[in-house]
Amino acid sequence: MGILHGATVFVIMSLMTPVHSVLPGNPRVIDMTHTFDENTIYWPTLRQFKRTGVLRNYTADGTWREESDIEGAEHGGTHLDAPAHFSKNKWRSHDIPVERLMGPAAVVDVSPKAAADADYLVTAEDFQLWEEKHGKIPDGCLLFIKTGWGKFWPDELLYLGTNTRNTSLLHFPGLHPDGARWLVQNRGMHAVGIDTASIDYGQSTVYEAHQALFGNNIPVFENVANLDQLPAVGSVVFALPMKIGGGSGGPARIVGFVNKHEYSPPHVDL
Amino acid sequence: MGILHGATVFVIMSLMTPVHSVLPGNPRVIDMTHTFDENTIYWPTLRQFKRTGVLRNYTADGTWREESDIEGAEHGGTHLDAPAHFSKNKWRSHDIPVERLMGPAAVVDVSPKAAADADYLVTAEDFQLWEEKHGKIPDGCLLFIKTGWGKFWPDELLYLGTNTRNTSLLHFPGLHPDGARWLVQNRGMHAVGIDTASIDYGQSTVYEAHQALFGNNIPVFENVANLDQLPAVGSVVFALPMKIGGGSGGPARIVGFVNKHEYSPPHVDL
């Protein structure tokens, strides 16, 4: 795994020259990560995020000190779902090669359909319509599904459909199981991300989109932020999760690079 | 902060072409992160890392499920020290602009001196000797201090000098406070990393190197892995911490890109 198999990031080191003078398009860096704090949305039935302050004061020697402990489930906030989460003997968090956590981004915008139907399921046809405009979903890409739900963060009622722990009340869009199966059978993306709490829609009970992707060792990123700042094609994303030994997921920091020349204002594909 | 001020990463998107055919030097991706598990070294007096398995079995509907909870201090394993850790009103974890968490890497190898003296302190002269060979420490770089201690991970006795909670027994090399002050007064690195448990050496009691860097909003990364796989210059590193609101640090995933043409086998600078 020493090279970026099929990926397309092209990194050139030019050590003595400032980037802004050499980078075509003067790229912007987008933080595609929600902050972990008391408002961070976790899956309703799981242990929520908690930061416990240990020190925030001057110590006896006169120096300032801040320290906290953190705790929570692996599946909350902007996070990785490792394939092992729903697929036995597939990659756990620490198993995923770092090369699989980066690549050019393909952003499929279904937000108009999702706005009309909170239970909308993204189909293979959505991907095919996207490809008619933007070309084939590239091998080695990070494929992001933009439902528009990111704008509801961190309002649980709007984002999840409920602010209770009753998962039968969850309503948000997701990836249709057939769409997931079409992707793994026909396309070679490194990972799939979405701006909702789950790659399966809120009303799912058996999580078939998870299963289709994870059965093929395709990691998933959920609660991805700021997808509205990425173009359909032309950006590069690094999605780096905490390296939890034996983990089924974990908090991730996701950053995108947008070439200003290739970027156009928020738009709608479908 | 929309551009990589003074940094040198040059990212070109070439969406339809596999990287290995277009990348000069065929870069390798180095995971500079220790896995978080029961062997992960944390600061001895702080809450240690714990992953608690919640599910690892087939559920009633016949699908496989794995889930865990995680907990621990912000300061353990491969992690960020945010400036607020030791400097009042400086950046907390979520405040640090993502642009400051990436850049070309400058790797200063003091491992022969540290091998001869576990309490070795890296001086301004060490940086000046490095610059005679490799040029000025570049603006916007991530400056890594390679003490060689990474090879002791995860043996606490070798890595920390003690496997007790008695911090007076800690012995490992670090950055001299005068070296830290020279850096912030004379050079424009984005952040500083080290392959030990602390940027201050084990015998420090007042953490002056931390204070010098943090007083100037320079983040620090500790317990950095695989520094022996980076050349002195010519690589690019992304050091992405968990985005903890109000945090003083946090777990980080660090990846380096090494251009094979520029890489030479492990070497010694000083």
Side-chain angles (χ1 to χ4, degrees):
Chain A
M1 299 305 295
I3 56 171
L4 286 165
H5 294 294
T8 67
V9 181
F10 190 5
V11 179
I12 294 177
M13 281 64 75
S14 152
L15 285 174
M16 304 312 291
T17 318
V19 155
H20 60 269
S21 67
V22 299
L23 247 184
N26 195 1
R28 296 186 306 126
V29 186
I30 312 295
D31 192 347
M32 300 165 63
T33 317
H34 294 298
T35 298
F36 284 82
D37 59 24
E38 65 278 13
N39 297 315
T40 301
I41 297 174
Y42 271 54
W43 195 254
T45 56
L46 298 179
R47 187 167 165 187
Q48 306 291 295
F49 177 75
K50 185 175 166 194
R51 181 181 65 78
T52 305
V54 175
L55 289 173
R56 188 174 282 186
N57 50 258
Y58 286 102
T59 56
D61 61 18
T63 61
W64 183 258
R65 197 75 58 84
E66 295 190 21
E67 293 171 10
S68 296
D69 295 339
I70 56 171
E71 60 184 86
E74 291 171 324
H75 300 277
T78 302
H79 73 283
L80 164 76
D81 268 20
H85 185 33
F86 281 87
S87 199
K88 191 178 183 183
N89 295 327
K90 292 300 189 293
W91 285 333
R92 294 183 174 134
S93 309
H94 72 287
D95 292 320
I96 305 169
V98 285
E99 294 88 345
R100 301 292 290 263
L101 302 168
M102 53 191 68
V107 181
V108 178
D109 185 352
V110 298
S111 56
K113 292 177 176 176
D117 176 7
D119 297 323
Y120 184 71
L121 287 165
V122 181
T123 63
E125 190 188 9
D126 287 323
F127 298 123
Q128 290 154 3
L129 286 170
W130 185 92
E131 290 191 336
E132 286 175 15
K133 292 184 71 170
H134 303 291
K136 187 179 168 186
I137 292 167
D139 287 349
C141 77
L142 304 194
L143 173 64
F144 290 100
I145 296 170
K146 176 183 158 192
T147 69
W149 249 239
K151 67 176 176 289
F152 298 138
W153 185 278
D155 184 318
E156 281 191 328
L157 191 56
L158 292 172
Y159 190 81
L160 296 177
T162 178
N163 52 14
T164 74
R165 302 181 75 179
N166 182 348
T167 56
S168 74
L169 301 177
L170 291 169
H171 288 278
F172 52 80
L175 173 59
H176 195 293
D178 289 342
R181 284 186 277 268
W182 182 84
L183 283 175
V184 297
Q185 287 163 10
N186 297 284
R187 295 295 178 264
M189 62 276 145
H190 272 172
V192 178
I194 193 165
D195 57 354
T196 69
S198 175
I199 192 69
D200 276 288
Y201 78 145
Q203 285 290 292
S204 176
T205 55
V206 289
Y207 309 106
E208 288 179 89
H210 279 90
Q211 291 178 50
L213 296 171
F214 293 169
N216 289 272
N217 259 338
I218 305 294
V220 166
F221 291 90
E222 294 166 339
N223 300 321
V224 176
N226 293 325
L227 277 183
D228 58 328
Q229 296 187 43
L230 291 191
V233 294
S235 66
V236 169
V237 171
F238 295 74
L240 298 185
M242 185 176 170
K243 191 176 181 180
I244 301 174
S248 70
R253 190 69 177 267
I254 308 181
V255 294
F257 292 84
V258 178
N259 186 322
K260 286 183 180 170
H261 282 175
E262 302 198 20
Y263 182 70
S264 54
H267 62 281
V268 169
D269 290 324
L270 300 174
Chain B
M1 301 306 294
I3 56 172
L4 286 167
H5 294 292
T8 67
V9 180
F10 189 5
V11 179
I12 295 176
M13 282 63 75
S14 153
L15 284 175
M16 304 311 289
T17 317
V19 155
H20 61 269
S21 68
V22 298
L23 247 185
N26 195 2
R28 295 186 307 125
V29 186
I30 311 295
D31 191 347
M32 299 165 63
T33 318
H34 295 297
T35 298
F36 284 83
D37 59 24
E38 65 278 13
N39 297 314
T40 301
I41 297 174
Y42 271 53
W43 195 254
T45 56
L46 298 180
R47 187 167 165 187
Q48 306 292 293
F49 177 75
K50 185 176 166 192
R51 181 181 64 78
T52 305
V54 175
L55 289 173
R56 189 175 282 185
N57 50 257
Y58 287 102
T59 56
D61 61 19
T63 60
W64 183 258
R65 198 76 56 87
E66 295 190 21
E67 293 172 9
S68 297
D69 294 340
I70 55 171
E71 61 185 86
E74 292 171 323
H75 300 277
T78 302
H79 73 282
L80 164 76
D81 269 19
H85 184 32
F86 281 87
S87 199
K88 191 177 183 183
N89 296 327
K90 292 300 189 294
W91 284 334
R92 294 183 174 135
S93 309
H94 72 287
D95 292 319
I96 306 170
V98 285
E99 294 88 345
R100 300 292 290 264
L101 303 168
M102 53 192 68
V107 181
V108 178
D109 184 352
V110 298
S111 55
K113 292 177 175 176
D117 176 8
D119 297 324
Y120 184 71
L121 288 165
V122 181
T123 63
E125 189 187 9
D126 288 324
F127 298 124
Q128 290 154 3
L129 287 169
W130 185 91
E131 290 192 336
E132 286 176 15
K133 293 185 70 171
H134 303 291
K136 187 178 167 186
I137 293 167
D139 287 349
C141 77
L142 305 194
L143 174 64
F144 290 101
I145 296 170
K146 176 184 158 193
T147 69
W149 249 238
K151 67 176 176 289
F152 299 138
W153 185 278
D155 185 318
E156 280 192 326
L157 191 56
L158 292 172
Y159 191 81
L160 297 177
T162 178
N163 52 14
T164 74
R165 302 182 76 178
N166 182 348
T167 57
S168 74
L169 300 177
L170 293 168
H171 288 278
F172 52 80
L175 174 59
H176 195 293
D178 289 342
R181 285 187 275 267
W182 183 85
L183 284 175
V184 297
Q185 287 163 10
N186 297 284
R187 294 295 178 266
M189 62 276 147
H190 272 171
V192 178
I194 193 165
D195 57 354
T196 69
S198 175
I199 193 68
D200 276 287
Y201 78 145
Q203 286 289 293
S204 178
T205 55
V206 289
Y207 309 106
E208 289 179 88
H210 279 89
Q211 291 179 50
L213 296 171
F214 293 169
N216 289 272
N217 258 339
I218 304 294
V220 165
F221 291 91
E222 294 166 339
N223 301 321
V224 176
N226 293 325
L227 277 184
D228 58 328
Q229 295 187 44
L230 291 192
V233 294
S235 64
V236 168
V237 171
F238 295 74
L240 298 185
M242 184 176 172
K243 192 176 181 179
I244 301 174
S248 71
R253 190 69 176 267
I254 308 181
V255 295
F257 292 85
V258 178
N259 186 322
K260 285 184 182 170
H261 282 176
E262 301 196 22
Y263 181 69
S264 54
H267 61 283
V268 169
D269 290 325
L270 300 175

